[in-house]
Amino acid sequence: MPDNSLWTSSGEFYTDKNGTLDLSKTAPSSGSYKDADEMGIIYSMTTVRVKNKSLPQSIKDVPQNRSYTINFTFTIGSDIFTESIKRYYCTDDVLCKDVDSKMLKGRFFVKNDTIKHPAVIVLSGSDGRIEKAQSIAQCLSMEGFAALAVCYFGMDGVSPSLEKIPLEIVENAIRYLKAESSVDKNKIGIYGRSKGGEMALEAASIFSDIRFIAVTSPSCITYAGLTEKSLNSKFSSWSYKGKELPCKHFKFIDTLPMIIKMMPWQMNNTFIIVLIYSFLPGNALFCEDFRMFVKCALSLSSWQNKARWCKL
Protein backbone atom coordinates (compact mmCIF):
# COMPACT_ATOMS: atom_id res chain seq x y z
CA MET A 1 0.00 0.00 0.00
CA PRO A 2 1.10 3.65 -0.42
CA ASP A 3 3.76 4.97 1.97
CA ASN A 4 4.38 1.45 3.34
CA SER A 5 1.19 1.39 5.39
CA LEU A 6 -0.20 -2.10 5.88
CA TRP A 7 -3.86 -3.05 5.50
CA THR A 8 -5.41 -6.46 6.06
CA SER A 9 -8.69 -8.37 5.68
CA SER A 10 -9.75 -12.00 5.89
CA GLY A 11 -12.50 -14.44 5.00
CA GLU A 12 -13.31 -18.12 5.48
CA PHE A 13 -15.38 -19.76 2.75
CA TYR A 14 -16.93 -23.10 1.81
CA THR A 15 -16.84 -24.18 -1.82
CA ASP A 16 -19.79 -25.75 -3.60
CA LYS A 17 -19.96 -29.50 -4.28
CA ASN A 18 -17.76 -29.03 -7.37
CA GLY A 19 -15.03 -27.34 -5.36
CA THR A 20 -15.85 -23.95 -6.91
CA LEU A 21 -15.90 -20.66 -5.02
CA ASP A 22 -17.64 -17.58 -6.46
CA LEU A 23 -17.21 -14.58 -4.15
CA SER A 24 -20.09 -12.74 -5.81
CA LYS A 25 -22.45 -15.52 -4.66
CA THR A 26 -20.81 -16.95 -1.54
CA ALA A 27 -20.74 -15.09 1.76
CA PRO A 28 -17.86 -15.78 4.14
CA SER A 29 -18.63 -17.97 7.14
CA SER A 30 -16.36 -15.66 9.13
CA GLY A 31 -13.98 -12.82 8.44
CA SER A 32 -13.86 -9.06 7.96
CA TYR A 33 -17.11 -8.75 5.98
CA LYS A 34 -20.47 -10.55 5.96
CA ASP A 35 -22.39 -10.58 2.67
CA ALA A 36 -21.52 -12.16 -0.66
CA ASP A 37 -19.49 -9.58 -2.58
CA GLU A 38 -16.70 -10.17 -5.06
CA MET A 39 -14.89 -7.05 -3.77
CA GLY A 40 -15.63 -7.64 -0.09
CA ILE A 41 -12.14 -8.89 0.72
CA ILE A 42 -10.81 -5.60 -0.71
CA TYR A 43 -13.16 -2.99 0.75
CA SER A 44 -13.13 -4.59 4.22
CA MET A 45 -9.40 -4.03 4.67
CA THR A 46 -8.37 -2.01 7.73
CA THR A 47 -5.01 -0.60 8.74
CA VAL A 48 -2.77 -2.62 11.01
CA ARG A 49 0.37 -0.55 10.55
CA VAL A 50 0.86 3.03 9.46
CA LYS A 51 4.30 4.39 8.81
CA ASN A 52 4.60 7.57 10.86
CA LYS A 53 6.52 10.31 9.15
CA SER A 54 6.23 14.02 8.58
CA LEU A 55 4.08 14.91 5.60
CA PRO A 56 5.62 16.94 2.77
CA GLN A 57 4.40 20.52 2.61
CA SER A 58 5.25 21.19 -1.03
CA ILE A 59 3.29 19.77 -3.96
CA LYS A 60 6.46 18.62 -5.71
CA ASP A 61 7.45 16.46 -2.73
CA VAL A 62 4.17 14.51 -2.53
CA PRO A 63 4.62 11.02 -4.08
CA GLN A 64 2.24 10.12 -6.89
CA ASN A 65 1.53 6.61 -5.55
CA ARG A 66 0.13 5.34 -8.85
CA SER A 67 -0.27 1.76 -7.65
CA TYR A 68 -0.25 -0.55 -4.65
CA THR A 69 0.29 -4.27 -4.15
CA ILE A 70 -2.13 -6.74 -2.55
CA ASN A 71 -0.72 -10.01 -1.22
CA PHE A 72 -3.15 -12.93 -0.95
CA THR A 73 -2.61 -15.97 1.27
CA PHE A 74 -4.91 -18.95 0.65
CA THR A 75 -5.14 -21.80 3.14
CA ILE A 76 -6.83 -24.96 1.89
CA GLY A 77 -6.60 -27.70 4.46
CA SER A 78 -2.91 -27.89 5.35
CA ASP A 79 -1.79 -26.32 2.06
CA ILE A 80 -0.85 -22.64 1.88
CA PHE A 81 -0.67 -20.66 -1.37
CA THR A 82 0.32 -17.06 -1.98
CA GLU A 83 -0.34 -14.66 -4.83
CA SER A 84 0.30 -10.95 -5.38
CA ILE A 85 -1.49 -8.48 -7.63
CA LYS A 86 -0.87 -4.85 -8.36
CA ARG A 87 -3.79 -2.44 -8.51
CA TYR A 88 -3.49 0.92 -10.25
CA TYR A 89 -4.88 4.35 -9.58
CA CYS A 90 -3.44 5.22 -12.98
CA THR A 91 -0.95 3.67 -15.39
CA ASP A 92 2.21 5.07 -16.95
CA ASP A 93 0.37 6.41 -20.00
CA VAL A 94 -1.22 9.09 -17.83
CA LEU A 95 0.68 12.36 -17.80
CA CYS A 96 1.10 14.31 -14.56
CA LYS A 97 1.82 18.03 -14.17
CA ASP A 98 2.41 19.81 -10.89
CA VAL A 99 0.53 23.09 -10.56
CA ASP A 100 2.41 25.20 -8.04
CA SER A 101 1.67 28.85 -8.64
CA LYS A 102 0.72 31.62 -6.23
CA MET A 103 -2.92 31.32 -7.29
CA LEU A 104 -3.32 27.54 -7.51
CA LYS A 105 -1.83 24.41 -5.93
CA GLY A 106 -2.61 21.03 -7.43
CA ARG A 107 -1.80 18.18 -9.78
CA PHE A 108 -3.14 17.62 -13.28
CA PHE A 109 -3.63 14.12 -14.73
CA VAL A 110 -4.57 13.28 -18.33
CA LYS A 111 -4.04 10.41 -20.77
CA ASN A 112 -1.12 10.93 -23.15
CA ASP A 113 -3.10 11.18 -26.38
CA THR A 114 -4.43 13.80 -28.79
CA ILE A 115 -8.07 13.75 -27.65
CA LYS A 116 -9.88 16.71 -26.11
CA HIS A 117 -10.98 15.42 -22.71
CA PRO A 118 -13.83 16.54 -20.47
CA ALA A 119 -12.23 17.92 -17.32
CA VAL A 120 -12.96 17.56 -13.61
CA ILE A 121 -11.76 19.69 -10.70
CA VAL A 122 -11.30 17.34 -7.71
CA LEU A 123 -11.67 18.50 -4.09
CA SER A 124 -11.04 16.26 -1.07
CA GLY A 125 -12.56 16.67 2.39
CA SER A 126 -11.75 18.29 5.70
CA ASP A 127 -8.42 16.45 5.96
CA GLY A 128 -7.13 18.94 3.39
CA ARG A 129 -3.84 18.52 1.53
CA ILE A 130 -3.83 16.80 -1.87
CA GLU A 131 -3.23 13.06 -1.44
CA LYS A 132 -6.86 11.89 -1.44
CA ALA A 133 -7.89 14.29 -4.20
CA GLN A 134 -4.92 12.99 -6.20
CA SER A 135 -6.03 9.35 -5.93
CA ILE A 136 -9.51 10.28 -7.16
CA ALA A 137 -8.09 12.39 -9.99
CA GLN A 138 -5.86 9.50 -11.07
CA CYS A 139 -8.83 7.13 -11.24
CA LEU A 140 -10.84 9.67 -13.25
CA SER A 141 -7.96 10.07 -15.70
CA MET A 142 -8.17 6.35 -16.41
CA GLU A 143 -11.82 6.83 -17.36
CA GLY A 144 -11.00 9.45 -19.98
CA PHE A 145 -11.20 12.65 -17.94
CA ALA A 146 -8.59 15.33 -17.57
CA ALA A 147 -8.54 15.65 -13.78
CA LEU A 148 -7.10 18.44 -11.66
CA ALA A 149 -6.59 17.55 -7.98
CA VAL A 150 -6.71 20.80 -6.02
CA CYS A 151 -5.20 21.54 -2.61
CA TYR A 152 -7.25 24.25 -0.90
CA PHE A 153 -5.73 24.10 2.59
CA GLY A 154 -3.13 22.33 4.71
CA MET A 155 0.05 22.77 2.65
CA ASP A 156 2.54 25.48 1.75
CA GLY A 157 1.03 28.35 -0.20
CA VAL A 158 -2.57 27.83 0.95
CA SER A 159 -4.43 28.39 4.21
CA PRO A 160 -3.17 26.25 7.11
CA SER A 161 -6.77 25.82 8.32
CA LEU A 162 -10.23 25.34 6.84
CA GLU A 163 -11.28 28.95 7.36
CA LYS A 164 -12.34 31.58 4.81
CA ILE A 165 -11.03 29.49 1.90
CA PRO A 166 -11.36 31.69 -1.21
CA LEU A 167 -13.59 30.22 -3.91
CA GLU A 168 -11.25 31.98 -6.32
CA ILE A 169 -9.20 28.77 -6.00
CA VAL A 170 -11.88 27.01 -8.07
CA GLU A 171 -12.05 29.99 -10.43
CA ASN A 172 -8.29 29.72 -10.99
CA ALA A 173 -8.63 25.97 -11.53
CA ILE A 174 -11.17 26.66 -14.28
CA ARG A 175 -8.76 29.11 -15.91
CA TYR A 176 -5.98 26.55 -15.75
CA LEU A 177 -8.09 23.85 -17.41
CA LYS A 178 -9.24 26.20 -20.14
CA ALA A 179 -5.60 26.89 -21.01
CA GLU A 180 -4.78 23.19 -21.31
CA SER A 181 -4.69 21.94 -24.90
CA SER A 182 -5.90 18.48 -23.82
CA VAL A 183 -9.13 19.85 -22.29
CA ASP A 184 -12.52 20.35 -23.93
CA LYS A 185 -13.18 23.88 -22.65
CA ASN A 186 -16.95 23.42 -22.87
CA LYS A 187 -16.94 20.33 -20.64
CA ILE A 188 -15.50 21.37 -17.30
CA GLY A 189 -17.04 19.95 -14.14
CA ILE A 190 -16.27 19.59 -10.46
CA TYR A 191 -16.23 16.74 -7.95
CA GLY A 192 -16.05 17.09 -4.17
CA ARG A 193 -16.25 14.69 -1.25
CA SER A 194 -17.45 15.66 2.24
CA LYS A 195 -16.29 19.22 2.93
CA GLY A 196 -15.02 19.39 -0.63
CA GLY A 197 -18.57 18.60 -1.74
CA GLU A 198 -19.73 21.66 0.15
CA MET A 199 -17.11 23.75 -1.63
CA ALA A 200 -18.06 22.26 -5.00
CA LEU A 201 -21.74 23.16 -4.50
CA GLU A 202 -20.83 26.72 -3.51
CA ALA A 203 -18.52 27.10 -6.50
CA ALA A 204 -21.06 25.68 -8.95
CA SER A 205 -23.60 28.25 -7.76
CA ILE A 206 -21.20 31.06 -8.71
CA PHE A 207 -19.13 29.97 -11.72
CA SER A 208 -21.16 29.30 -14.86
CA ASP A 209 -18.23 27.55 -16.56
CA ILE A 210 -18.90 24.54 -14.33
CA ARG A 211 -21.13 22.41 -16.58
CA PHE A 212 -21.56 19.36 -14.34
CA ILE A 213 -21.12 18.52 -10.69
CA ALA A 214 -20.77 15.34 -8.63
CA VAL A 215 -20.50 15.17 -4.85
CA THR A 216 -20.32 12.46 -2.20
CA SER A 217 -21.35 13.01 1.43
CA PRO A 218 -21.71 16.79 1.04
CA SER A 219 -23.11 19.09 3.69
CA CYS A 220 -26.74 20.06 3.23
CA ILE A 221 -25.84 23.62 4.27
CA THR A 222 -22.67 25.68 4.52
CA TYR A 223 -21.01 25.21 7.89
CA ALA A 224 -18.40 27.22 9.73
CA GLY A 225 -14.79 26.19 9.27
CA LEU A 226 -12.23 24.35 11.36
CA THR A 227 -9.06 25.61 12.99
CA GLU A 228 -5.64 24.04 12.54
CA LYS A 229 -6.40 21.81 15.54
CA SER A 230 -9.73 20.74 13.96
CA LEU A 231 -11.70 22.78 16.46
CA ASN A 232 -14.81 24.72 15.53
CA SER A 233 -13.98 28.06 13.96
CA LYS A 234 -15.81 31.33 14.41
CA PHE A 235 -15.30 31.98 10.70
CA SER A 236 -17.05 30.62 7.61
CA SER A 237 -15.34 27.85 5.68
CA TRP A 238 -15.51 29.85 2.46
CA SER A 239 -15.08 33.36 1.13
CA TYR A 240 -15.49 35.09 -2.21
CA LYS A 241 -14.17 38.48 -3.26
CA GLY A 242 -12.83 39.01 0.24
CA LYS A 243 -16.15 38.39 2.01
CA GLU A 244 -17.11 35.39 4.12
CA LEU A 245 -19.99 33.32 2.80
CA PRO A 246 -22.98 32.96 5.17
CA CYS A 247 -22.73 29.81 7.25
CA LYS A 248 -24.19 27.88 10.15
CA HIS A 249 -21.97 28.07 13.21
CA PHE A 250 -21.49 24.98 15.31
CA LYS A 251 -23.18 24.53 18.65
CA PHE A 252 -22.43 21.97 21.32
CA ILE A 253 -25.42 19.87 20.24
CA ASP A 254 -23.91 19.61 16.73
CA THR A 255 -20.76 17.96 18.10
CA LEU A 256 -22.56 15.23 20.07
CA PRO A 257 -22.14 12.48 17.43
CA MET A 258 -18.37 13.10 17.35
CA ILE A 259 -18.14 13.14 21.15
CA ILE A 260 -20.08 9.89 21.39
CA LYS A 261 -17.76 8.13 18.93
CA MET A 262 -14.78 9.14 21.08
CA MET A 263 -16.26 7.76 24.30
CA PRO A 264 -14.58 4.61 25.70
CA TRP A 265 -17.64 3.09 27.35
CA GLN A 266 -19.34 0.18 25.65
CA MET A 267 -22.76 1.64 26.31
CA ASN A 268 -25.55 1.82 23.78
CA ASN A 269 -25.10 5.16 21.97
CA THR A 270 -28.75 6.00 22.44
CA PHE A 271 -28.31 6.19 26.17
CA ILE A 272 -25.11 8.17 25.93
CA ILE A 273 -27.08 10.75 23.94
CA VAL A 274 -29.80 10.82 26.60
CA LEU A 275 -27.18 11.06 29.32
CA ILE A 276 -25.53 14.10 27.74
CA TYR A 277 -28.90 15.70 27.02
CA SER A 278 -29.60 15.59 30.74
CA PHE A 279 -26.90 18.18 31.33
CA LEU A 280 -28.16 20.59 28.67
CA PRO A 281 -30.25 23.61 29.77
CA GLY A 282 -33.97 23.15 29.31
CA ASN A 283 -33.91 19.35 29.31
CA ALA A 284 -35.40 17.29 32.12
CA LEU A 285 -35.50 13.53 32.59
CA PHE A 286 -38.68 11.67 33.52
CA CYS A 287 -36.84 9.67 36.17
CA GLU A 288 -36.89 10.01 39.95
CA ASP A 289 -33.27 10.96 40.11
CA PHE A 290 -30.05 10.77 38.16
CA ARG A 291 -28.92 7.56 39.88
CA MET A 292 -32.08 5.76 38.82
CA PHE A 293 -31.64 6.96 35.27
CA VAL A 294 -28.08 5.68 34.99
CA LYS A 295 -29.14 2.30 36.42
CA CYS A 296 -31.97 2.15 33.89
CA ALA A 297 -29.72 3.17 31.01
CA LEU A 298 -27.03 0.63 31.83
CA SER A 299 -29.61 -2.12 32.13
CA LEU A 300 -31.40 -1.29 28.91
CA SER A 301 -28.18 -0.77 26.95
CA SER A 302 -27.73 -4.55 26.85
CA TRP A 303 -30.96 -4.86 24.91
CA GLN A 304 -29.34 -3.15 21.91
CA ASN A 305 -31.98 -2.54 19.25
CA LYS A 306 -34.77 -3.81 21.48
CA ALA A 307 -34.17 -1.10 24.08
CA ARG A 308 -37.00 1.23 25.09
CA TRP A 309 -36.73 4.41 27.09
CA CYS A 310 -38.81 7.35 28.24
CA LYS A 311 -38.84 10.41 25.99
CA LEU A 312 -37.26 13.68 26.98
Side-chain angles (χ1 to χ4, degrees):
M1 296 296 286
D3 294 329
N4 295 321
S5 60
L6 179 64
W7 295 60
T8 186
S9 62
S10 64
E12 182 174 320
F13 304 88
Y14 290 96
T15 64
D16 62 19
K17 61 182 180 181
N18 298 316
T20 301
L21 175 62
D22 184 344
L23 294 183
S24 66
K25 298 178 180 178
T26 305
S29 58
S30 63
S32 54
Y33 71 103
K34 295 181 179 180
D35 299 321
D37 192 318
E38 57 192 353
M39 292 297 289
I41 204 72
I42 304 297
Y43 71 64
S44 64
M45 288 192 293
T46 55
T47 52
V48 294
R49 187 190 74 221
V50 178
K51 184 179 180 180
N52 294 319
K53 64 178 182 179
S54 58
L55 296 172
Q57 291 301 306
S58 175
I59 293 291
K60 65 180 178 60
D61 295 327
V62 176
Q64 291 186 29
N65 290 332
R66 291 183 174 228
S67 65
Y68 59 94
T69 300
I70 301 178
N71 298 312
F72 291 92
T73 300
F74 306 91
T75 303
I76 304 175
S78 60
D79 297 323
I80 299 176
F81 307 90
T82 60
E83 185 64 64
S84 296
I85 64 169
K86 182 174 283 190
R87 290 177 61 84
Y88 291 88
Y89 292 108
C90 67
T91 49
D92 291 338
D93 60 340
V94 172
L95 298 177
C96 173
K97 297 181 184 179
D98 285 353
V99 183
D100 196 2
S101 67
K102 183 178 180 181
M103 304 300 292
L104 183 64
K105 307 290 181 182
R107 256 186 188 153
F108 178 67
F109 296 90
V110 67
K111 278 288 187 72
N112 185 13
D113 53 31
T114 58
I115 300 172
K116 293 283 186 180
H117 298 266
V120 185
I121 298 164
V122 181
L123 306 169
S124 62
S126 58
D127 37 14
R129 299 184 54 82
I130 196 174
E131 287 86 347
K132 291 184 179 179
Q134 171 179 270
S135 296
I136 297 167
Q138 289 171 331
C139 292
L140 288 170
S141 71
M142 293 294 290
E143 299 298 325
F145 291 93
L148 175 60
V150 172
C151 173
Y152 57 93
F153 83 99
M155 296 185 73
D156 287 346
V158 291
S159 173
S161 60
L162 211 174
E163 300 173 287
K164 297 186 284 187
I165 305 299
L167 292 184
E168 283 85 352
I169 290 176
V170 175
E171 192 172 30
N172 293 330
I174 294 171
R175 291 197 186 102
Y176 176 88
L177 291 172
K178 282 188 169 184
E180 276 290 329
S181 60
S182 57
V183 169
D184 185 335
K185 299 172 179 58
N186 296 313
K187 294 181 179 179
I188 295 176
I190 191 168
Y191 167 81
R193 57 177 290 273
S194 190
K195 198 67 176 177
E198 184 180 297
M199 186 182 190
L201 291 168
E202 290 282 12
S205 71
I206 296 173
F207 307 123
S208 60
D209 287 317
I210 297 176
R211 301 301 176 88
F212 58 92
I213 180 171
V215 293
T216 53
S217 304
S219 307
C220 59
I221 59 176
T222 298
Y223 281 101
L226 297 170
T227 66
E228 288 185 68
K229 295 182 179 180
S230 296
L231 299 175
N232 296 336
S233 171
K234 62 181 180 180
F235 301 110
S236 175
S237 299
W238 322 111
S239 67
Y240 184 56
K241 294 184 177 180
K243 296 182 179 180
E244 290 183 57
L245 270 61
C247 68
K248 173 179 171 57
H249 289 275
F250 289 101
K251 297 180 181 179
F252 175 74
I253 191 68
D254 297 320
T255 64
L256 279 178
M258 179 180 68
I259 293 172
I260 291 166
K261 288 182 180 179
M262 296 171 63
M263 287 184 171
W265 306 298
Q266 298 300 310
M267 187 191 294
N268 184 291
N269 284 353
T270 300
F271 293 99
I272 296 177
I273 292 173
V274 176
L275 186 62
I276 295 175
Y277 257 106
S278 68
F279 292 101
L280 299 180
N283 290 304
L285 293 168
F286 292 103
C287 296
E288 291 184 6
D289 56 28
F290 179 70
R291 186 183 310 164
M292 179 61 71
F293 170 74
V294 172
K295 182 178 180 181
C296 178
L298 288 172
S299 175
L300 290 176
S301 66
S302 64
W303 296 7
Q304 297 182 355
N305 294 333
K306 296 180 181 179
R308 296 291 182 268
W309 62 95
C310 52
K311 295 183 180 179
L312 298 179

